[in-house]
């Protein structure tokens, strides 16, 4: 089953602008992960934030996590045309013994040169 | 990170036939693999968790007899779509659980298999 919603469903920006995507989830989590998927391809792991963390950075990526609101955001700064892809958040439930990963609906990001 | 190989990348089959998709872990022994399906412009739906040496754990609503999963070795899991029908046409993706999934490691995904049933 899916975990939650991503917002917006689609985002279109110019190169150089920042892109912000939001994700909400429903359960208590162990961690939340963001993935990127180019059209018709597999997923690439971008960043993982644990439930006891509030913010994490990796290069041009910044992820925040608010467990009280059950939400996360992914910020891509100084976007490039090559960032065009679908972005998904995914969660592992707290106490999960199988480590199952459940995905949100995703945000389709288009960056125009 | 881990490396996973998924084959075939695409397959077209006739309605009523069966199709096998392979997912191989190339650089470590994966006791647990996951299978997802994805419809166009939609998210990934977890179908089942594949455990080496034991029966797969299927998500609610997924037909066990329709989607046969075999995880006979620590490096190979297979998904067989039996008696495929056009509504089974989808993008199927496997994933490896990292060795230390409770820490900071993300999951590794195969490149996916586009199944078209005609």
């Amino acid at each position: 089953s899916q975990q939650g919603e991503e917002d917006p469903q689609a985002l279109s920006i110019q190169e150089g602008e920042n892109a912000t995507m939001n994700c909400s989830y429903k359960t208590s989590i162990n961690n939340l992960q963001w993935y990127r998927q180019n059209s018709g391809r597999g997923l690439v792991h971008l960043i993982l934030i644990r439930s006891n963390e509030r913010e994490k950075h990796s290069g041009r990526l910044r992820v925040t996590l608010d467990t009280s609101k059950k939400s996360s955001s992914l910020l891509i700064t100084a976007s490039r045309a090559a960032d065009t892809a679908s972005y998904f958040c995914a969660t592992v439930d707290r106490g999960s013994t199988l480590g199952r990963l459940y995905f949100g609906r995703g945000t389709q990001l288009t960056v125009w040169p | 990170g881990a490396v996973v190989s998924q084959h075939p990348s695409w397959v077209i089959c006739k309605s009523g036939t069966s199709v096998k998709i392979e997912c191989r872990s190339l650089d470590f022994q994966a006791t647990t693999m996951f299978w997802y399906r994805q419809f166009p412009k939609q998210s990934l739906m977890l179908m089942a968790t594949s455990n080496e040496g034991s029966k797969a754990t299927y998500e609610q609503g997924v037909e066990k007899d329709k989607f046969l999963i075999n995880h006979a070795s620590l490096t190979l899991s297979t998904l067989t779509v039996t008696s495929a029908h056009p509504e089974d046409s989808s993008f199927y993706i496997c994933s490896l659980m990292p060795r230390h999934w409770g820490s900071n490691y993300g999951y590794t995904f195969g490149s996916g298999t586009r199944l078209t049933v005609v």
Side-chain angles (χ1 to χ4, degrees):
Chain A
S1 59
Q2 286 180 285
Q3 172 60 290
E5 301 288 330
E6 259 133 308
D7 158 51
Q9 290 188 14
L11 180 61
S12 186
I13 59 174
Q14 294 290 132
E15 260 190 335
E17 294 180 343
N18 295 341
T20 299
M21 290 161 266
N22 303 296
C23 162
S24 61
Y25 56 91
K26 299 174 182 174
T27 61
S28 293
I29 62 171
N30 177 292
N31 64 65
L32 184 144
Q33 306 175 34
W34 285 90
Y35 288 82
R36 165 199 169 118
Q37 183 183 34
N38 286 78
S39 182
R41 307 294 296 274
L43 275 73
V44 175
H45 176 252
L46 296 176
I47 195 166
L48 179 152
I49 187 165
R50 306 179 79 171
S51 60
N52 61 353
E53 297 176 310
R54 292 295 167 261
E55 187 171 313
K56 206 162 183 181
H57 297 255
S58 176
R60 294 185 295 113
L61 305 180
R62 173 178 170 255
V63 169
T64 62
L65 179 64
D66 186 336
T67 53
S68 66
K69 295 180 180 178
K70 289 187 165 53
S71 67
S72 173
S73 69
L74 171 67
L75 168 67
I76 303 174
T77 60
S79 63
R80 306 165 182 168
D83 293 329
T84 295
S86 291
Y87 291 82
F88 295 93
C89 69
T91 56
V92 176
D93 287 347
R94 181 181 298 282
S96 171
T97 55
L98 295 177
R100 286 176 286 195
L101 193 63
Y102 293 102
F103 283 83
R105 297 182 184 276
T107 294
Q108 172 61 51
L109 173 66
T110 302
V111 182
W112 298 100
Chain B
V3 180
V4 59
S5 174
Q6 184 174 343
H7 292 281
S9 55
W10 62 270
V11 58
I12 301 172
C13 71
K14 289 185 177 179
S15 189
T17 61
S18 295
V19 174
K20 181 184 283 188
I21 302 169
E22 291 189 350
C23 182
R24 289 183 185 274
S25 172
L26 299 183
D27 59 349
F28 82 98
Q29 295 177 329
T31 55
T32 303
M33 298 186 187
F34 303 94
W35 287 95
Y36 293 85
R37 70 184 295 182
Q38 183 181 34
F39 291 107
K41 298 189 185 302
Q42 294 191 26
S43 187
L44 282 79
M45 300 291 290
L46 179 63
M47 299 175 66
T49 303
S50 166
N51 299 296
E52 186 270 337
S54 63
K55 291 183 179 179
T57 303
Y58 289 81
E59 295 296 301
Q60 192 172 7
V62 177
E63 299 176 60
K64 301 178 184 181
D65 297 332
K66 175 76 172 176
F67 299 100
L68 299 179
I69 291 172
N70 188 316
H71 194 155
S73 78
L74 288 171
T75 58
L76 176 64
S77 176
T78 61
L79 167 68
T80 301
V81 183
T82 63
S83 187
H85 288 94
E87 57 266 29
D88 298 324
S89 298
S90 189
F91 192 58
Y92 293 88
I93 311 176
C94 67
S95 171
L96 304 184
M97 189 167 74
R99 231 175 310 215
H100 307 291
W101 69 268
S103 60
N104 290 329
Y105 296 96
Y107 291 49
T108 303
F109 285 78
S111 54
T113 298
R114 172 75 57 196
L115 170 63
T116 302
V117 185
V118 297

